[in-house]
Each structure stands twice: as C-alpha cells, then as structure tokens.
Amino acid sequence: MSDMSHPHRPEGLFALPAGLAGQVMVGLGILAAMAAWLAWMDRPLTCPCGTVALWDGDPHSPGASQQFADWYSALHVMYGIGLYAFIRRMAPRWPLSWMFLAALASSAIWEAMENTPAMIALFGDTPGTPSYEGDSILNAFGDTLFVVLGFFAARGLPVPATLFLALALEGAVAFTIGDGFILGSLRLLGVGV
C-alpha cells in the first residue's frame, strides 16, 4: 500500500504495527510493562491479607485496593470514558485500535504513577478518606479492565447516556463510601467535605 492510503498514520517512534497480531502484541507489552513496574515498586501480586476475591466493598478493610475490584473501580470506568472523549477529540482520524492502545497505555501509566511512594502518601494522608497503601498488581489489572470498559461504553453509548453513566457512578461512590472524583479532588485542594 502506498503512504497515501493512510494519510494520518503516525510514523517513526509513534508508529504502531499494522494488523491485529501486532496491535495485540503492543497491548500485551503495555500490560507486561505495567506489571513489571509494579513488581519493581514492590507492589504485592495479590492481597497480603491472604485472600483473593473479585470484590471488596469495604474501603477500610485490608482488601481495599488489593482485590480485583472495589468501589474505586467505578472511578476507573469514568476515567475510561474521559480517555475515550479526550482521544476522540484530539485524534479523531485515528483508527479505534490506536485510540484503544493509547487509552490502555494511559491507564497503565496512571497505575504506575498511582503506586509510587509520593502518590501513595498523597492519597493515603488526605483527611476524610480511607487509608491508602497502594494497589496490588491484581487490583491494577482490574482497574485497567474497568478503564477499558469505560472506553468502550463511551464509544458505544450516546453522549447523554454516557454522561448519565458517569454521573451515576460518581454519585454511587460518593453516597456509598464518601469519596469520588469530586469529593476527592476537593479534599486534595484542602476543602473540607
């Protein structure tokens, strides 16, 4: 194929492999790099509490941010919705597979940064929030899956339904555990809520 058939294809360092197999390899590489970084940061593979569960609904339990899913998984769905909207706006001509890989990489970078000592201290020392000691690798993979779900929900749903979903998730987290994007951001800014 000539270069004219893909006028908006990134080149050089940002070029992605053509074909499904190459893109799957990139996606798996992103996940492997995230897991390697988290292991290097001494994050546990699973909950140090000795149990492995799909859900932990108590933000004060030893399994908080250690099991596959928790109330903060809803916020990762919202992050996926936001990533889809942002990437779609910034790179509207990219194929869906490239947008997806960009979202996957963004989620992996967030998980890597969220589990640095500085971020753990920032989130863990915020007054009015549950104690936070970082994620397990299992939880980071769960969070990434929820970002992917949010990404594809935003792609498949009409904009009003996507906005309703985001507001419903934020409300559920706020009313159930007293946290969320809005309340958490206000606390980080020093506003007592």
Side-chain angles (χ1 to χ4, degrees):
M1 286 189 157
S2 71
D3 288 338
M4 297 302 291
S5 64
H6 297 287
H8 302 286
R9 182 178 183 167
E11 299 201 13
L13 178 63
F14 297 105
L16 293 174
L20 180 61
Q23 291 169 357
V24 167
M25 293 304 294
V26 170
L28 291 174
I30 290 168
L31 295 175
M34 179 185 75
W37 171 267
L38 294 172
W40 184 74
M41 296 294 296
D42 290 327
R43 301 309 314 147
L45 179 60
T46 59
C47 183
C49 63
T51 62
V52 176
L54 288 177
W55 170 258
D56 187 319
D58 181 358
H60 302 285
S61 79
S65 295
Q66 304 300 306
Q67 304 299 352
F68 184 77
D70 53 33
W71 282 105
Y72 295 99
S73 301
L75 301 181
H76 286 83
V77 172
M78 293 170 57
Y79 180 50
I81 289 169
L83 282 173
Y84 178 80
F86 178 77
I87 295 167
R88 182 80 175 144
R89 175 78 175 155
M90 298 307 293
R93 295 182 177 157
W94 277 13
L96 178 62
S97 60
W98 294 0
M99 289 192 286
F100 170 73
L101 289 173
L104 188 65
S106 296
S107 178
I109 290 168
W110 169 251
E111 290 300 320
M113 298 311 301
E114 177 187 15
N115 285 285
T116 60
M119 292 295 276
I120 291 171
L122 178 67
F123 290 132
D125 293 338
T126 304
T129 61
S131 174
Y132 178 69
E133 297 178 15
D135 296 345
S136 69
I137 295 173
L138 174 67
N139 181 261
F141 274 97
D143 290 348
T144 301
L145 175 65
F146 286 104
V147 168
V148 168
L149 291 175
F151 177 89
F152 283 107
R155 179 181 182 269
L157 293 173
V159 172
T162 304
L163 291 174
F164 177 79
L165 174 62
L167 290 172
L169 292 171
E170 177 72 15
V173 173
F175 290 116
T176 305
I177 63 170
D179 208 354
F181 276 132
I182 296 170
L183 294 176
S185 297
L186 291 172
R187 284 189 193 107
L188 284 173
L189 294 171
V191 178
V193 287

